[in-house]
Amino acid sequence: MPKATRTAKQLQQMLIQRIEAQPGLRGRQTDVYRDGVIGVPSEDGGPNWTVRVITDRGNHRGDIAQIIRRLQGQYDLKA
């Protein structure tokens, strides 16, 4: 079954809403805010979008990565 599609701007807004709903993350600048959603080639039905990592990987947050993965499972980037 195909996933619903959203524009990059819509996906970014959805990510920001979910990130800001997490305790301690409201207003915290993340790569979602800085660079937003970008399209990537889909492999074997995988996601066709991601958020480019531009900050130090040492600042990686598992909770934010999980939010991104959940939305990737629900929505494809509209071409």
Side-chain angles (χ1 to χ4, degrees), residues 6-79:
R6 298 292 185 267
T7 65
K9 185 174 182 174
Q10 289 172 321
L11 290 167
Q12 182 181 19
Q13 290 172 338
M14 293 166 75
L15 287 168
I16 289 171
Q17 285 177 330
R18 285 164 175 78
I19 290 168
E20 289 189 346
Q22 300 299 307
L25 292 180
R26 180 174 273 295
R28 183 177 175 147
Q29 290 296 305
T30 67
D31 292 337
V32 173
Y33 293 89
R34 292 182 188 104
D35 207 33
V37 171
I38 59 169
V40 297
S42 178
E43 296 181 16
D44 298 323
N48 72 344
W49 63 274
T50 192
V51 175
R52 182 177 296 139
V53 177
I54 58 174
T55 57
D56 178 10
R57 290 224 183 239
N59 293 327
H60 177 80
R61 300 255 333 200
D63 50 354
I64 293 175
Q66 186 176 23
I67 291 168
I68 294 168
R69 282 191 301 273
R70 280 190 196 133
L71 277 181
Q72 286 173 323
Q74 295 176 315
Y75 301 100
D76 275 336
L77 179 62
K78 184 183 271 185

